[in-house]
Amino acid sequence: MARIVRDTTVIVSTGPTCMLRNPPLALYIHIPWCVRKCPYCDFNSHAGDGALPEEAYVAALLADLEQDLPLAVGRSLSTLFIGGGTPSLFSAEAIARLLEGIAERIDIADDVEITLEANPGTVDESRFIGFRRAGVNRLSIGIQSFNDAHLARLGRIHDAAAAVRAAQAARSAGFDNFNLDLMFGLPGQGVAEALADVQTAIGLSPSHISFYQLTLEPNTWFHRHPPALPEDEVIWEAQRACQAMLAEHGYAQYEVSAYALDGRRCRHNLNYWRFGDYLGIGAGAHGKITDAERGTIARRWKQRHPKRYLETAGTPECIGEHMVIAPGELPLEFLMNHLRLREGFRLADFSLSTGLAADVLDPGIQACGEAGLLHAADGHIRCTDKGWNFLDNVLEHFMSEHS
């Protein structure tokens, strides 16, 4: 079993039987403030009350990164993702100082993808121009819907017109690589309204669309006060119709909720789904790091509350947990990411990514194959259409008795 510690001690676990490799490395940066907490949001976000502590928070992020650097000696960053919260509340100058400070501390690939999340209610073309000059080369804009009534029910601070303006401003500012977030299964939403949202998004020519179902997550306002959602049959019909429209316009579904034009898949998220490594800095940020030499894979996360994070960043007290993943839990950890992808995975990559012999998967693969949930051929495993729609049922076959 893995042990949990509250410092940076490296713990060696036992169990891997194959050579373990260090995968690509990414950096996630969490900015926790937003204008108003949405009723469906279960992220670590906090409504700001006045001026944000930009200078202090950037300094804290860089101190946090410095403390994590021993985990990534000799490695370079392939992608960066600035999420939240609402990172677009920070000024372009603060983002520039942050990215410059990161580049001074760790090697960054020449073709790095740097994404910043933005809320339509907090941006305009000049702000986007500033972010681009700071080094951001990809945006992810949280639209959710282009219907004013649905936006109001979701507690969004923008209306449909602001959502359209934000996408247009992103392109005018020089961003040819940006994502639009859309939800379906919204309270009171019919199939025609879901299709109208997708049609409007396509008309704005994003390179990527995230299209996912509203779920009522624990510890949210909607979970405590559930709205009336559409019937399952309506949600399913809307999903299938919207997926067909996206495919018709060249947006290929490569992950459960991700659709991209050719060559525009989100590299940062692909790294997550391919069980890659990532450092996580910021309040509540999570990271995953492989140490091939020691044969361990560990997860760690930081203090969640912004005040506590600012007080402790760069010290051992900032680390909420540091946990080495037990070998018996690695198959599920690997599969719950990889099987979200249409491409699936190669058995050889499973061994290189976990240090485990691929035959530990044999019972689950056989059972899922017989149930029509997985397709296996020439050492390559992927979900069937049935398996993709019932992914939880697939993963149940790979849970250890300790999961």
Side-chain angles (χ1 to χ4, degrees), residues 256-324:
V256 170
S257 59
Y259 304 74
L261 297 178
D262 187 40
R264 292 299 196 177
R265 297 189 296 177
C266 178
R267 289 167 49 200
H268 185 86
N269 286 342
L270 274 173
N271 185 59
Y272 290 149
W273 297 321
R274 289 172 174 165
F275 208 51
D277 281 355
Y278 51 97
L279 299 173
I281 60 173
H286 284 233
K288 167 195 168 277
I289 289 292
T290 301
D291 187 332
E293 183 177 346
R294 294 178 180 268
T296 63
I297 301 173
R299 294 194 180 277
R300 71 156 62 188
W301 49 98
K302 309 299 172 55
Q303 293 284 351
R304 285 179 55 83
H305 196 278
K307 183 175 184 295
R308 179 62 176 156
Y309 176 80
L310 283 165
E311 292 171 345
T312 62
T315 73
E317 287 71 30
C318 187
I319 302 169
E321 303 283 4
H322 180 98
M323 178 183 69
V324 171

Side-chain angles (χ1 to χ4, degrees), residues 133-379:
R133 288 175 177 166
V136 175
N137 55 27
R138 183 178 183 274
L139 296 172
S140 183
I141 306 173
I143 301 293
Q144 314 315 351
S145 176
F146 292 98
N147 181 301
D148 283 339
H150 294 150
L151 288 170
R153 293 190 188 104
L154 292 173
R156 302 296 289 172
I157 65 170
H158 67 274
D159 59 14
V164 171
R165 287 196 301 271
Q168 293 171 336
R171 187 163 294 284
S172 297
F175 286 97
D176 64 352
N177 190 13
F178 64 93
N179 169 67
L180 299 182
D181 265 0
L182 287 180
M183 286 182 171
F184 68 96
L186 307 179
Q189 185 188 55
V191 176
E193 291 170 314
L195 281 167
D197 276 350
V198 171
Q199 183 66 67
T200 301
I202 291 170
L204 294 166
S205 301
S207 55
H208 191 286
I209 293 175
S210 295
F211 180 65
Y212 52 94
Q213 183 179 343
L214 171 65
T215 55
L216 307 185
E217 301 290 349
N219 302 315
T220 65
W221 175 264
F222 271 0
H223 192 265
R224 295 189 295 272
H225 308 277
L229 300 179
E231 297 293 330
D232 289 345
E233 293 78 7
V234 174
I235 292 175
W236 176 247
E237 183 182 350
Q239 178 179 343
R240 301 298 286 180
C242 290
Q243 287 174 332
M245 178 181 287
L246 286 163
E248 180 184 347
H249 288 82
Y251 291 89
Q253 185 181 18
Y254 66 98
E255 187 268 344
V256 170
S257 59
Y259 304 74
L261 297 178
D262 187 40
R264 292 299 196 177
R265 297 189 296 177
C266 178
R267 289 167 49 200
H268 185 86
N269 286 342
L270 274 173
N271 185 59
Y272 290 149
W273 297 321
R274 289 172 174 165
F275 208 51
D277 281 355
Y278 51 97
L279 299 173
I281 60 173
H286 284 233
K288 167 195 168 277
I289 289 292
T290 301
D291 187 332
E293 183 177 346
R294 294 178 180 268
T296 63
I297 301 173
R299 294 194 180 277
R300 71 156 62 188
W301 49 98
K302 309 299 172 55
Q303 293 284 351
R304 285 179 55 83
H305 196 278
K307 183 175 184 295
R308 179 62 176 156
Y309 176 80
L310 283 165
E311 292 171 345
T312 62
T315 73
E317 287 71 30
C318 187
I319 302 169
E321 303 283 4
H322 180 98
M323 178 183 69
V324 171
I325 304 171
E329 297 169 355
L330 285 172
L332 180 62
E333 288 261 356
F334 178 91
L335 294 171
M336 68 191 300
N337 288 286
H338 261 282
L339 289 181
R340 291 179 63 91
L341 293 170
R342 277 286 190 192
E343 67 187 29
F345 66 96
R346 295 186 307 120
L347 289 173
D349 287 332
F350 170 80
S351 294
L352 289 170
S353 297
T354 64
L356 300 174
D359 59 12
V360 302
L361 301 179
D362 285 351
I365 291 173
Q366 181 175 345
C368 288
E370 292 171 352
L373 299 171
L374 287 181
H375 175 77
D378 300 323

